[in-house]
Amino acid sequence: MHPSIVSALAAGAPPMLAAMLAQLGTAEVVGKGSNPAIMQMARRVADSHPKLDWVGAFYEDDDIPWCGLAVADAAVRSGLVPVLPNPLSARAWADWGSPLVGPRRGALVVFSRQGGGHVGLVAAVTAGAKRLLVAGGNQSNQISLAWFDNIPTVRGGRVVGFRAPPGGALPEAPVVADDGRPVSRSEA
């Protein structure tokens, strides 16, 4: 994504989205080893709440699915307590905060996927909100902006739901042009 678009998305972004966008490009280490920045996310989340102290010990390698970890870290960096008891579970985020009818800027969006789920933050939408531009971790093994179709699971899609973080209303999601990149298929 062009840096000017990323800068525009970051300008005035809600706190969790701003925290996630600030880490765009953070990627897993291929093969043996782990990215220290991802491992620091686990330590920060573990230190954020007594009921999360297990996260640091559990999260030993960046090969473990980490979309929930990236969202939890964005929450902690925004002064919020992540979903308890397990912020690493993408589907657990479907009960955090307040439900929303549709996408808003900075909203959590929870997806289904074979073998589990995925969670990220809405950065923007296309006209008519047909596609979502989602900032999230473990999207092609990095924190990135990726496209997802906005089709709910009840209509055969992957969107489980949208949630507003605790503590405030979210603005409308900005409308951006579809750049033609395919929708994400790699979040595990």
Side-chain angles (χ1 to χ4, degrees):
M1 183 134 306
H2 194 275
S4 65
I5 294 172
V6 173
S7 293
L9 292 173
M16 283 183 65
L17 179 58
M20 186 74 76
L21 291 173
Q23 296 193 66
L24 284 178
T26 301
E28 291 180 18
V29 171
V30 177
K32 190 172 183 164
S34 295
N35 184 329
I38 296 172
M39 302 313 293
Q40 178 59 36
M41 288 180 198
R43 288 188 295 276
R44 202 168 18 246
V45 171
D47 292 343
S48 72
H49 192 280
K51 291 185 178 178
L52 297 176
D53 60 356
W54 61 272
V55 171
F58 173 83
Y59 206 87
E60 299 174 335
D61 190 288
D62 67 11
D63 281 340
I64 297 170
W66 54 281
C67 64
L69 176 66
V71 170
D73 184 60
V76 168
R77 292 174 56 220
S78 301
L80 300 171
V81 175
V83 65
L84 297 172
N86 185 4
L88 301 183
S89 168
R91 298 293 286 262
W93 291 93
D95 295 320
W96 189 72
S98 304
L100 295 169
V101 174
R104 305 288 291 179
R105 186 177 188 200
L108 283 90
V109 56
V110 178
F111 298 97
S112 65
R113 71 170 175 82
Q114 187 148 1
H118 182 64
V119 63
L121 300 166
V122 175
V125 298
T126 59
K130 293 187 186 320
R131 290 179 81 186
L132 309 168
L133 186 59
V134 176
N138 208 29
Q139 296 179 164
S140 297
N141 298 325
Q142 65 180 315
I143 295 178
S144 69
L145 288 164
W147 288 109
F148 290 82
D149 288 327
N150 186 15
I151 303 171
T153 54
V154 295
R155 291 197 356 239
R158 296 183 55 201
V159 175
V160 173
F162 300 96
R163 305 292 291 192
L170 295 172
E172 287 188 30
V175 176
V176 297
D178 188 332
D179 62 7
R181 289 184 296 146
V183 296
S184 178
R185 299 276 183 240
S186 177
E187 307 100 34

